[in-house]
Amino acid sequence: MATPIRFTKPLLTRLTCPAGKAEVFFWDDALPGFGVRAYASGRRLWIAQYRDGAGRTRRATLGDLRTVELDEARTAARQLLSKVELGADPQAERRAARKAVRVSALVEAYLTDAEGRLRLGTFEGVKRHLRVHAKPLHHAAASQLGRAEIVRVVSAVAKGSGPVAANRFRAALSAMWTWGLTTGFLDGRENPVALVPKPAAETPRERVLTDAELALVWHATEGVHDYGRVVRLLLLTGARREEVGGLAWGEIEGGVWMLPRARSKNGLPHEVPLGPLAMAQLPEKREGRDLVFGTGEGGFSGWSKCKAAMDVRIAAARAKAFAAAHGRVPKPDEVPPMVWTLHDLRRTFATGVSEKGIEPHIVEAVLNHASGAARRGVAGTYNRAAYREPKRAALALWEAHVREVVGLPARVAGNVAPMQRAS
């Protein structure tokens, strides 16, 4: 080993590899184990040398002399050598880190397993959360990921997509981690997501849109292409967002939407009779594409962006109505924003048809709510057939109401079966 010398900035320029040698080491007399490794190529690296628990010599690279200053390198070496004194092996830790399971690998393994277990709509949401929202974590070793890093990403999702979306992201991340631990894909016992607080407490919504608000929503969808058509179908049928967004042409048979069990939330097949106004919202079929909406591999996407743009149009329409009624532009606090979600349309539909006298069990059938064993098995098959006409009548009644609310000409139904009304 070369005689140690006191490293100084002026001296560093002379620490080069002599001719005829592949490499040479220089050692600092101020900090034993701290040195410079100089190569014949001219490259020079800061190093820290120590012996591991088995007495073997180990060297850890601390950076290039061109980019790391002497004081920074000496500080890094002192920290590393202090860890060694306490029993650590930095080189072994680095090798373990390189072999550690990355979050990106955990994500793909979990999605492969979950694809066959989760309902299609649920799976698509989980996939989006883990591949898109969790991307800032993908590079990290799963075993070394701290709670603070997860909190930062969850908070970023809450800021960009809202607290409810952040709650869903957190739930997907936690489920993935639990799967990794229970299957042995990850080592350890602790789920770091478990103690990450939810961005927001969720309470069941009770929002029901007024007729005036329904009209605003309808008119704000004019000329909005796929998103506008999807919103109108949600308004007319009371269906779920992902079910309409993933609608396929093969599911529509003779004016009836046959939702397969693989795409329904409760795993039950569902028939939705589509009235003339609902059928009019379907676009022309694009050659080579069975999905009605969207352009990518899946159905419609871009929900948040389109909803935000639609809210801007609704706000402009409300401000215009205020100006027409009062003869002046409204002040900022005179026309508060209309707070609503797409799922509120489903609740509005259920409330609206109930108020028009439709019996609860028919409303439940239209919404495809699983209510008891009668909806499943052979009995469920016969019940679906029995409910077909009452469901058609209920949807026709609601469609007539929507026509009136949004100012469309009334349509006389030719053969709508009489419906049961609550007494």
Side-chain angles (χ1 to χ4, degrees), residues 40-344:
S41 64
R43 190 182 187 198
R44 299 180 302 163
L45 302 174
W46 298 111
I47 61 170
Q49 180 172 288
Y50 64 94
R51 292 188 182 276
D52 64 16
R56 293 169 296 193
T57 299
R58 300 292 190 191
R59 295 190 185 106
T61 300
L62 305 175
D64 195 296
L65 268 71
R66 292 172 298 182
T67 56
V68 180
E69 296 290 337
L70 171 60
D71 291 341
E72 294 176 304
R74 186 178 276 128
T75 299
R78 184 176 288 110
Q79 292 174 345
L80 184 147
L81 295 170
S82 296
K83 290 182 179 180
V84 172
E85 287 294 320
L86 296 173
D89 184 351
Q91 285 290 71
E93 292 174 359
R94 288 187 181 185
R95 287 196 300 274
R98 285 195 294 268
K99 294 179 181 179
V101 175
R102 301 288 161 185
V103 173
S104 56
L106 174 61
V107 166
E108 296 309 316
Y110 175 69
L111 290 177
T112 298
D113 178 79
E115 187 170 12
R117 295 186 291 102
L118 300 181
R119 186 176 60 86
L120 180 60
T122 301
F123 176 74
E124 290 299 323
V126 168
K127 182 169 69 173
R128 182 176 66 255
H129 285 311
L130 297 181
R131 284 185 176 169
V132 179
H133 292 148
K135 194 170 183 178
L137 303 174
H138 283 186
H139 69 284
S143 60
Q144 297 176 4
L145 194 62
R147 196 153 47 242
E149 295 171 271
I150 298 172
V151 168
R152 279 195 293 271
V153 176
V154 171
S155 298
V157 174
K159 184 177 180 180
S161 302
V164 174
N167 282 353
R168 301 293 179 270
F169 165 60
R170 177 193 170 280
L173 204 61
S174 183
M176 177 184 73
W177 231 276
T178 299
W179 174 87
L181 293 172
T182 56
T183 59
F185 192 85
L186 295 178
D187 293 327
R189 297 180 180 179
E190 181 183 350
N191 178 348
V193 189
L195 295 180
V196 173
K198 288 185 178 181
E202 292 187 50
T203 56
R205 289 179 60 86
E206 299 179 355
R207 178 87 159 90
V208 174
L209 273 62
T210 65
D211 285 350
E213 289 173 328
L214 279 180
L216 277 170
V217 169
W218 183 273
H219 293 302
T221 60
E222 190 70 42
V224 189
H225 307 297
D226 274 6
Y227 184 73
R229 295 176 184 276
V230 168
V231 171
R232 288 185 173 188
L233 282 172
L234 294 174
L235 191 156
L236 290 166
T237 64
R240 296 181 176 91
R241 187 187 84 168
E242 298 299 335
E243 294 171 352
V244 173
L247 178 64
W249 289 108
E251 296 172 2
I252 301 174
E253 302 177 12
V256 178
W257 172 19
M258 311 292 288
L259 180 67
R261 65 175 69 247
R263 291 211 312 112
S264 69
K265 183 177 181 179
N266 56 21
L268 297 175
H270 182 41
E271 296 180 9
V272 184
L274 300 175
L277 190 56
M279 289 292 292
Q281 307 313 313
L282 300 176
E284 292 186 6
K285 186 174 182 180
R286 285 166 281 191
E287 186 175 354
R289 182 173 177 81
D290 187 48
L291 293 173
V292 177
F293 303 113
T295 56
E297 293 182 6
F300 182 80
S301 61
W303 298 97
S304 298
K305 183 178 180 180
C306 290
K307 172 66 163 53
M310 185 174 177
D311 284 338
V312 170
R313 291 191 296 274
I314 289 176
R318 297 179 75 203
K320 184 177 180 181
F322 180 97
H326 298 84
R328 62 177 176 83
V329 175
K331 297 177 182 178
D333 59 343
E334 288 184 308
V335 184
M338 177 176 148
V339 180
W340 67 291
T341 69
L342 292 181
H343 196 74
D344 292 338

